[in-house]
Coordinates of all heavy atoms in Angstrom, one line a residue:
M30 N 116.3 101.7 94.7 CA 116.7 100.4 94.4 C 115.5 99.4 94.2 O 115.5 98.6 93.3 CB 117.7 99.9 95.5 CG 118.3 98.5 95.2 SD 119.4 98.6 93.8 CE 120.1 97.1 93.8
V31 N 114.6 99.5 95.1 CA 113.4 98.7 95.0 C 112.7 98.9 93.7 O 112.2 98.0 93.1 CB 112.4 98.9 96.2 CG1 111.1 98.1 96.1 CG2 113.1 98.5 97.5
E32 N 112.6 100.2 93.3 CA 111.9 100.5 92.1 C 112.6 99.9 90.9 O 112.0 99.4 90.0 CB 111.8 102.0 91.9 CG 110.8 102.4 90.8 CD 109.4 102.0 91.0 OE1 108.9 101.9 92.1 OE2 108.7 101.8 90.0
F33 N 113.9 99.9 90.9 CA 114.7 99.3 89.8 C 114.5 97.8 89.8 O 114.2 97.2 88.7 CB 116.2 99.5 90.1 CG 117.1 98.8 89.1 CD1 117.2 99.2 87.8 CD2 117.7 97.6 89.5 CE1 118.0 98.4 86.9 CE2 118.5 96.9 88.7 CZ 118.7 97.3 87.3
I34 N 114.5 97.1 90.9 CA 114.2 95.7 90.9 C 112.8 95.4 90.4 O 112.6 94.4 89.7 CB 114.5 95.1 92.3 CG1 115.9 95.2 92.7 CG2 114.0 93.7 92.5 CD1 116.3 94.9 94.1
K35 N 111.8 96.2 90.8 CA 110.5 96.0 90.4 C 110.4 96.1 88.8 O 109.8 95.3 88.2 CB 109.5 97.0 91.0 CG 108.1 96.8 90.6 CD 107.2 97.8 91.3 CE 105.8 97.6 90.8 NZ 104.9 98.8 91.0
K36 N 111.0 97.2 88.3 CA 111.0 97.3 86.8 C 111.7 96.2 86.1 O 111.3 95.7 85.1 CB 111.6 98.7 86.5 CG 110.7 99.9 86.8 CD 111.4 101.2 86.4 CE 110.5 102.3 86.8 NZ 111.0 103.6 86.4
A37 N 112.8 95.8 86.7 CA 113.6 94.6 86.1 C 112.7 93.4 86.1 O 112.7 92.6 85.1 CB 114.9 94.4 86.8
M38 N 112.0 93.1 87.2 CA 111.2 91.9 87.3 C 110.0 92.0 86.3 O 109.7 91.0 85.7 CB 110.7 91.8 88.7 CG 109.8 90.5 88.9 SD 110.6 89.0 88.5 CE 111.9 88.9 89.6
D39 N 109.4 93.2 86.2 CA 108.3 93.4 85.2 C 108.8 93.1 83.8 O 108.1 92.5 83.0 CB 107.7 94.8 85.3 CG 106.9 95.0 86.5 OD1 106.4 94.0 87.1 OD2 106.6 96.2 86.9
W40 N 110.0 93.6 83.5 CA 110.6 93.4 82.2 C 110.8 91.9 81.9 O 110.4 91.3 80.8 CB 111.9 94.1 82.0 CG 112.5 93.9 80.7 CD1 112.2 94.7 79.5 CD2 113.6 93.0 80.3 NE1 113.0 94.2 78.5 CE2 113.8 93.2 78.9 CE3 114.3 92.0 81.0 CZ2 114.8 92.5 78.2 CZ3 115.2 91.3 80.3 CH2 115.5 91.5 78.9
V41 N 111.4 91.2 82.9 CA 111.6 89.7 82.8 C 110.2 89.0 82.6 O 110.1 88.1 81.7 CB 112.3 89.2 84.0 CG1 112.3 87.7 84.0 CG2 113.8 89.7 84.0
L42 N 109.3 89.4 83.4 CA 108.0 88.7 83.3 C 107.3 89.0 81.9 O 106.7 88.1 81.3 CB 107.1 89.2 84.4 CG 107.5 88.7 85.8 CD1 106.6 89.3 86.9 CD2 107.4 87.1 85.9
E43 N 107.5 90.2 81.4 CA 107.0 90.5 80.0 C 107.6 89.6 79.0 O 106.9 89.1 78.1 CB 107.2 92.0 79.7 CG 106.2 92.9 80.4 CD 106.5 94.4 80.0 OE1 107.0 94.6 78.9 OE2 106.3 95.2 80.8
K44 N 108.9 89.4 79.1 CA 109.6 88.6 78.1 C 109.2 87.1 78.3 O 109.0 86.4 77.3 CB 111.2 88.7 78.3 CG 111.7 90.0 78.0 CD 111.4 90.4 76.6 CE 111.9 91.8 76.3 NZ 111.5 92.3 75.0
E45 N 109.0 86.7 79.5 CA 108.5 85.3 79.7 C 107.1 85.1 79.1 O 106.7 84.1 78.5 CB 108.6 84.9 81.1 CG 110.0 84.6 81.6 CD 110.1 83.7 82.7 OE1 109.1 83.1 83.1 OE2 111.2 83.5 83.2
Q46 N 106.3 86.2 79.3 CA 104.9 86.1 78.8 C 104.9 86.0 77.3 O 104.1 85.3 76.6 CB 104.1 87.3 79.3 CG 102.6 87.1 79.0 CD 101.8 88.2 79.8 OE1 102.3 89.2 80.2 NE2 100.5 87.9 79.9
E47 N 105.8 86.8 76.6 CA 105.9 86.8 75.2 C 106.4 85.4 74.7 O 105.9 84.8 73.7 CB 106.9 87.8 74.7 CG 106.4 89.2 74.8 CD 107.5 90.3 74.5 OE1 108.6 89.9 74.0 OE2 107.2 91.5 74.8
A48 N 107.3 84.8 75.5 CA 107.8 83.5 75.1 C 106.7 82.4 75.3 O 106.6 81.5 74.5 CB 109.0 83.1 76.0
A49 N 105.8 82.6 76.3 CA 104.7 81.7 76.5 C 103.7 81.7 75.3 O 103.2 80.7 74.9 CB 104.0 82.0 77.8
K50 N 103.5 82.9 74.8 CA 102.6 83.1 73.7 C 103.1 82.4 72.5 O 102.3 81.9 71.6 CB 102.4 84.6 73.4 CG 101.6 85.3 74.4 CD 101.4 86.8 74.1 CE 100.7 87.5 75.1 NZ 100.6 89.0 74.9
D51 N 104.5 82.3 72.4 CA 105.1 81.6 71.2 C 105.4 80.1 71.6 O 106.2 79.4 70.9 CB 106.4 82.3 70.8 CG 106.1 83.7 70.3 OD1 105.0 83.9 69.8 OD2 107.0 84.5 70.3
C52 N 104.9 79.6 72.7 CA 105.1 78.2 73.2 C 106.6 77.9 73.4 O 107.1 76.9 73.0 CB 104.5 77.3 72.2 SG 102.7 77.5 72.0
R53 N 107.3 78.9 73.9 CA 108.8 78.7 74.1 C 109.1 78.6 75.6 O 110.3 79.0 76.0 CB 109.6 79.8 73.5 CG 109.5 79.8 71.9 CD 110.3 80.9 71.3 NE 109.7 82.3 71.6 CZ 110.3 83.3 72.2 NH1 111.5 83.2 72.6 NH2 109.7 84.4 72.3
I54 N 108.2 78.2 76.5 CA 108.5 78.2 77.9 C 108.6 76.7 78.3 O 107.8 75.9 77.9 CB 107.3 78.9 78.7 CG1 107.3 80.4 78.4 CG2 107.4 78.6 80.2 CD1 108.4 81.1 79.0
N55 N 109.6 76.5 79.2 CA 109.7 75.2 79.8 C 108.9 75.1 81.0 O 109.1 75.9 82.0 CB 111.2 75.0 80.2 CG 111.5 73.6 80.8 OD1 110.6 73.0 81.4 ND2 112.7 73.1 80.6
L56 N 107.8 74.3 81.0 CA 106.9 74.2 82.1 C 107.5 73.8 83.4 O 107.1 74.3 84.5 CB 105.7 73.3 81.8 CG 104.7 73.8 80.8 CD1 103.6 72.8 80.5 CD2 104.1 75.1 81.4
A57 N 108.5 73.0 83.4 CA 109.2 72.6 84.6 C 109.9 73.8 85.3 O 109.8 73.9 86.5 CB 110.2 71.5 84.3
D58 N 110.6 74.6 84.4 CA 111.2 75.8 85.0 C 110.2 76.8 85.5 O 110.4 77.4 86.6 CB 112.0 76.5 83.9 CG 113.3 75.8 83.5 OD1 113.7 74.9 84.3 OD2 113.8 76.0 82.4
L59 N 109.0 76.9 84.8 CA 108.0 77.8 85.3 C 107.4 77.3 86.6 O 107.2 78.1 87.6 CB 106.9 77.9 84.2 CG 105.8 78.9 84.5 CD1 106.4 80.3 84.6 CD2 104.8 78.9 83.3
D60 N 107.2 76.0 86.7 CA 106.7 75.4 88.0 C 107.7 75.7 89.1 O 107.3 75.9 90.3 CB 106.5 73.9 87.8 CG 105.2 73.6 87.1 OD1 104.3 74.5 87.0 OD2 105.1 72.5 86.5
K61 N 109.0 75.6 88.9 CA 110.0 75.9 89.9 C 109.9 77.3 90.3 O 110.0 77.7 91.5 CB 111.4 75.6 89.4 CG 111.7 74.1 89.2 CD 113.1 73.9 88.7 CE 113.4 72.5 88.4 NZ 114.7 72.3 87.7
Q62 N 109.8 78.2 89.3 CA 109.6 79.7 89.7 C 108.4 79.9 90.5 O 108.4 80.7 91.5 CB 109.6 80.5 88.4 CG 110.8 80.5 87.6 CD 110.7 81.2 86.3 OE1 109.6 81.7 85.9 NE2 111.8 81.3 85.5
I63 N 107.3 79.3 90.1 CA 106.0 79.5 90.9 C 106.2 79.0 92.3 O 105.9 79.6 93.3 CB 104.9 78.8 90.2 CG1 104.5 79.5 88.9 CG2 103.6 78.7 91.1 CD1 103.5 78.8 88.0
A64 N 106.8 77.8 92.5 CA 107.0 77.2 93.8 C 107.9 78.1 94.6 O 107.7 78.3 95.8 CB 107.6 75.8 93.7
Y65 N 109.0 78.6 94.0 CA 109.9 79.5 94.7 C 109.2 80.8 95.2 O 109.4 81.2 96.4 CB 111.1 79.9 93.8 CG 112.1 80.9 94.4 CD1 113.0 80.4 95.3 CD2 112.0 82.2 94.1 CE1 113.9 81.3 95.9 CE2 112.9 83.1 94.7 CZ 113.8 82.7 95.6 OH 114.7 83.6 96.1
V66 N 108.5 81.4 94.3 CA 107.8 82.7 94.7 C 106.7 82.4 95.8 O 106.5 83.1 96.7 CB 107.2 83.4 93.5 CG1 106.3 84.5 93.9 CG2 108.3 83.8 92.5
E67 N 106.0 81.3 95.6 CA 105.0 80.9 96.7 C 105.6 80.7 98.0 O 105.1 81.1 99.0 CB 104.2 79.7 96.2 CG 103.2 80.0 95.1 CD 102.5 78.8 94.6 OE1 102.9 77.6 94.8 OE2 101.4 78.9 94.0
A68 N 106.8 80.0 98.0 CA 107.5 79.8 99.3 C 107.9 81.1 99.9 O 107.8 81.3 101.1 CB 108.7 78.8 99.1
K69 N 108.5 82.0 99.1 CA 108.9 83.3 99.6 C 107.7 84.1 100.1 O 107.8 84.7 101.2 CB 109.6 84.1 98.5 CG 110.9 83.7 98.2 CD 111.8 84.1 99.3 CE 113.3 84.2 98.9 NZ 114.2 84.5 100.0
R70 N 106.6 84.0 99.4 CA 105.4 84.7 99.8 C 104.9 84.2 101.2 O 104.6 84.9 102.1 CB 104.3 84.6 98.8 CG 103.0 85.2 99.2 CD 101.8 84.7 98.5 NE 101.6 83.2 98.8 CZ 100.9 82.4 98.0 NH1 100.3 82.9 96.9 NH2 100.9 81.1 98.3
D71 N 104.9 82.9 101.3 CA 104.4 82.2 102.5 C 105.3 82.6 103.7 O 104.8 82.8 104.8 CB 104.3 80.7 102.4 CG 103.2 80.3 101.4 OD1 102.4 81.2 101.0 OD2 103.2 79.2 100.9
K72 N 106.6 82.6 103.5 CA 107.6 83.0 104.5 C 107.4 84.4 105.0 O 107.3 84.7 106.2 CB 109.0 82.8 104.0 CG 110.1 83.1 105.1 CD 111.5 82.9 104.5 CE 112.5 83.4 105.6 NZ 113.8 83.6 105.0
L73 N 107.2 85.3 104.0 CA 107.0 86.7 104.3 C 105.7 86.9 105.1 O 105.6 87.7 106.0 CB 107.1 87.6 103.1 CG 108.4 87.8 102.5 CD1 108.3 88.5 101.1 CD2 109.3 88.6 103.4
K74 N 104.7 86.2 104.6 CA 103.3 86.3 105.3 C 103.4 85.8 106.7 O 102.9 86.5 107.6 CB 102.3 85.5 104.5 CG 100.9 85.6 105.1 CD 99.9 84.8 104.3 CE 98.5 85.0 104.8 NZ 98.2 85.1 106.2
K75 N 104.1 84.7 107.0 CA 104.3 84.2 108.3 C 105.0 85.3 109.2 O 104.6 85.6 110.3 CB 105.1 82.9 108.3 CG 105.3 82.3 109.7 CD 106.0 81.0 109.7 CE 106.2 80.5 111.1 NZ 107.3 79.5 111.2
E76 N 106.1 85.8 108.7 CA 106.9 86.8 109.4 C 106.0 88.1 109.7 O 106.1 88.6 110.8 CB 108.1 87.2 108.6 CG 109.2 86.2 108.6 CD 110.4 86.6 107.7 OE1 110.4 87.7 107.2 OE2 111.2 85.7 107.4
C77 N 105.3 88.5 108.7 CA 104.4 89.6 108.8 C 103.3 89.4 109.9 O 103.1 90.2 110.8 CB 103.8 90.0 107.5 SG 102.9 91.6 107.5
D78 N 102.7 88.2 109.9 CA 101.7 87.9 110.9 C 102.3 87.8 112.3 O 101.7 88.3 113.2 CB 101.1 86.5 110.5 CG 100.2 86.5 109.3 OD1 99.8 87.7 108.9 OD2 99.9 85.5 108.8
E79 N 103.5 87.3 112.4 CA 104.2 87.3 113.7 C 104.5 88.7 114.2 O 104.3 89.0 115.4 CB 105.5 86.5 113.6 CG 105.2 85.0 113.5 CD 106.5 84.2 113.2 OE1 107.6 84.8 113.0 OE2 106.4 83.0 113.1
N80 N 104.9 89.5 113.3 CA 105.2 90.9 113.7 C 104.0 91.7 114.0 O 103.9 92.4 115.0 CB 106.0 91.7 112.5 CG 107.4 91.2 112.4 OD1 108.0 90.7 113.3 ND2 107.9 91.3 111.2
L81 N 102.9 91.4 113.3 CA 101.6 92.1 113.6 C 101.1 91.6 115.0 O 100.6 92.4 115.7 CB 100.6 91.8 112.5 CG 100.8 92.6 111.2 CD1 99.8 92.0 110.2 CD2 100.6 94.0 111.4
S82 N 101.3 90.4 115.3 CA 100.8 89.9 116.6 C 101.6 90.5 117.7 O 101.1 90.9 118.7 CB 101.0 88.3 116.7 OG 100.2 87.7 115.8
E83 N 102.9 90.7 117.5 CA 103.7 91.4 118.5 C 103.3 92.8 118.7 O 103.2 93.3 119.8 CB 105.2 91.3 118.1 CG 106.1 91.8 119.2 CD 106.0 91.1 120.5 OE1 105.7 89.9 120.6 OE2 106.3 91.7 121.6
F84 N 103.0 93.5 117.6 CA 102.6 94.9 117.7 C 101.2 95.0 118.4 O 101.0 95.9 119.2 CB 102.4 95.5 116.3 CG 103.7 96.1 115.8 CD1 104.4 95.6 114.7 CD2 104.2 97.3 116.4 CE1 105.6 96.1 114.3 CE2 105.4 97.8 115.9 CZ 106.1 97.2 114.9
E85 N 100.3 94.0 118.1 CA 99.0 94.0 118.8 C 99.3 93.8 120.3 O 98.6 94.5 121.2 CB 98.1 92.9 118.3 CG 97.6 93.2 116.9 CD 96.7 94.5 116.9 OE1 95.9 94.7 117.9 OE2 96.8 95.2 115.9
H86 N 100.2 92.9 120.7 CA 100.5 92.7 122.1 C 101.0 94.0 122.7 O 100.6 94.4 123.8 CB 101.5 91.6 122.2 CG 102.0 91.4 123.6 ND1 101.3 90.8 124.6 CD2 103.2 91.7 124.1 CE1 102.0 90.8 125.7 NE2 103.2 91.3 125.5
I87 N 101.9 94.7 122.1 CA 102.5 95.9 122.6 C 101.4 97.0 122.7 O 101.3 97.7 123.8 CB 103.7 96.4 121.7 CG1 104.8 95.4 121.8 CG2 104.1 97.8 122.1 CD1 105.9 95.6 120.8
L88 N 100.6 97.1 121.7 CA 99.5 98.1 121.8 C 98.5 97.8 122.9 O 98.1 98.7 123.6 CB 98.8 98.2 120.4 CG 99.4 99.0 119.3 CD1 98.7 98.7 118.0 CD2 99.5 100.4 119.7
N89 N 98.2 96.6 123.1 CA 97.3 96.2 124.2 C 97.9 96.6 125.5 O 97.2 97.1 126.4 CB 96.9 94.7 124.1 CG 96.0 94.4 123.0 OD1 95.3 95.2 122.5 ND2 96.0 93.1 122.6
R90 N 99.2 96.3 125.7 CA 99.9 96.7 127.0 C 99.9 98.2 127.1 O 99.6 98.7 128.2 CB 101.3 96.2 127.0 CG 101.4 94.7 126.9 CD 101.6 93.9 128.1 NE 102.3 94.4 129.2 CZ 103.6 94.1 129.6 NH1 104.3 93.3 128.9 NH2 104.1 94.7 130.6
L91 N 100.2 98.9 126.1 CA 100.2 100.4 126.1 C 98.8 101.0 126.5 O 98.7 101.9 127.3 CB 100.7 101.0 124.8 CG 102.2 100.8 124.6 CD1 102.6 101.2 123.2 CD2 103.1 101.6 125.6
H92 N 97.8 100.4 125.9 CA 96.4 100.9 126.2 C 96.1 100.6 127.6 O 95.4 101.4 128.3 CB 95.4 100.2 125.3 CG 95.4 100.8 123.9 ND1 95.0 102.2 123.7 CD2 95.7 100.3 122.7 CE1 95.1 102.4 122.4 NE2 95.5 101.3 121.7
A93 N 96.5 99.4 128.2 CA 96.3 99.1 129.6 C 97.0 100.1 130.5 O 96.5 100.5 131.5 CB 96.7 97.7 129.9
I94 N 98.2 100.4 130.1 CA 99.0 101.4 130.9 C 98.3 102.8 130.9 O 98.2 103.4 131.9 CB 100.4 101.5 130.3 CG1 101.2 100.2 130.6 CG2 101.2 102.7 130.9 CD1 102.5 100.0 129.9
K95 N 97.8 103.2 129.7 CA 97.1 104.4 129.5 C 95.9 104.4 130.4 O 95.6 105.4 131.1 CB 96.8 104.7 128.1 CG 96.1 106.0 127.9 CD 95.8 106.2 126.4 CE 95.0 107.5 126.2 NZ 94.6 107.7 124.8
A96 N 95.1 103.3 130.4 CA 93.9 103.2 131.2 C 94.2 103.4 132.6 O 93.5 104.0 133.4 CB 93.2 101.9 130.9
A97 N 95.3 102.7 133.1 CA 95.7 102.8 134.5 C 96.1 104.3 134.8 O 95.7 104.8 135.9 CB 96.9 101.9 134.8
E98 N 96.8 104.9 134.0 CA 97.1 106.3 134.2 C 95.9 107.2 134.2 O 95.8 108.1 135.0 CB 98.2 106.8 133.2 CG 98.6 108.2 133.4 CD 99.2 108.5 134.7 OE1 99.8 107.6 135.4 OE2 99.1 109.7 135.2
L99 N 95.0 107.0 133.3 CA 93.8 107.8 133.3 C 93.0 107.6 134.6 O 92.4 108.5 135.1 CB 92.9 107.4 132.1 CG 93.4 107.9 130.7 CD1 92.6 107.4 129.6 CD2 93.4 109.5 130.7
K100 N 93.0 106.4 135.1 CA 92.3 106.1 136.3 C 93.0 106.9 137.5 O 92.3 107.5 138.3 CB 92.3 104.6 136.6 CG 91.5 104.2 137.9 CD 91.5 102.7 138.1 CE 90.7 102.3 139.3 NZ 91.0 102.9 140.5
C101 N 94.3 106.9 137.5 CA 95.0 107.7 138.5 C 94.6 109.2 138.4 O 94.4 109.8 139.4 CB 96.5 107.5 138.3 SG 97.1 105.9 138.8
S102 N 94.6 109.7 137.2 CA 94.3 111.1 137.0 C 92.9 111.4 137.5 O 92.6 112.4 138.1 CB 94.4 111.5 135.5 OG 95.7 111.3 135.1
T103 N 91.9 110.5 137.2 CA 90.5 110.6 137.7 C 90.5 110.6 139.2 O 89.8 111.3 139.8 CB 89.6 109.6 137.0 OG1 89.8 109.6 135.6 CG2 88.2 109.8 137.4
D104 N 91.2 109.6 139.8 CA 91.2 109.4 141.2 C 91.8 110.7 141.9 O 91.3 111.1 143.0 CB 91.9 108.2 141.6 CG 91.2 106.9 141.3 OD1 90.0 107.0 140.9 OD2 91.8 105.8 141.3
K105 N 92.8 111.3 141.4 CA 93.4 112.4 142.0 C 92.5 113.6 142.0 O 92.5 114.5 142.9 CB 94.7 112.8 141.2 CG 95.8 111.8 141.4 CD 97.0 112.2 140.6 CE 98.1 111.2 140.7 NZ 99.3 111.5 139.9
K106 N 91.6 113.7 141.0 CA 90.7 114.8 140.9 C 89.5 114.7 141.9 O 88.9 115.7 142.3 CB 90.1 115.0 139.5 CG 91.1 115.4 138.5 CD 90.5 115.5 137.1 CE 91.5 115.9 136.1 NZ 91.0 115.9 134.7
S107 N 89.3 113.5 142.3 CA 88.2 113.3 143.3 C 88.5 113.7 144.7 O 89.4 113.9 145.2 CB 87.7 111.8 143.3 OG 87.4 111.4 142.0

């Protein structure tokens, strides 16, 4: 499904690019499209950054747990 949407979007963008070459594009509509896509991009970037921060937090905790367990294993051998 994602591939279909990507191909459809590429087709639409090609048609718009052809129209722009023939000076048949409404700049106000294009500015709205740009603003919409930028807003979507910014929202996704924020969500992605938040998710990455959470994964970093989880990984740091897991590494601390592993370090504690390794210390236990080392202490038991002594």
Side-chain angles (χ1 to χ4, degrees):
M30 184 67 173
V31 172
E32 191 63 31
F33 171 77
I34 293 172
K35 182 181 175 197
K36 286 181 180 182
M38 182 56 65
D39 285 343
W40 182 82
V41 169
L42 291 172
E43 283 179 33
K44 295 300 176 188
E45 287 207 7
Q46 192 167 17
E47 289 172 12
K50 288 178 185 176
D51 295 335
C52 301
R53 295 183 287 124
I54 292 289
N55 181 330
L56 283 178
D58 288 342
L59 190 57
D60 284 338
K61 287 179 189 176
Q62 291 174 359
I63 291 170
Y65 176 80
V66 172
E67 286 176 340
K69 283 290 200 180
R70 178 202 58 199
D71 294 345
K72 181 182 175 195
L73 286 172
K74 185 179 181 324
K75 181 182 178 197
E76 289 174 9
C77 191
D78 288 345
E79 289 170 357
N80 289 333
L81 286 172
S82 292
E83 187 59 29
F84 274 110
E85 286 299 322
H86 172 74
I87 292 167
L88 280 171
N89 288 337
R90 300 262 326 255
L91 289 170
H92 284 296
I94 292 166
K95 181 180 178 181
E98 180 57 30
L99 287 172
K100 184 178 183 302
C101 289
S102 297
T103 304
D104 289 347
K105 288 179 185 176
K106 291 180 183 177
S107 300

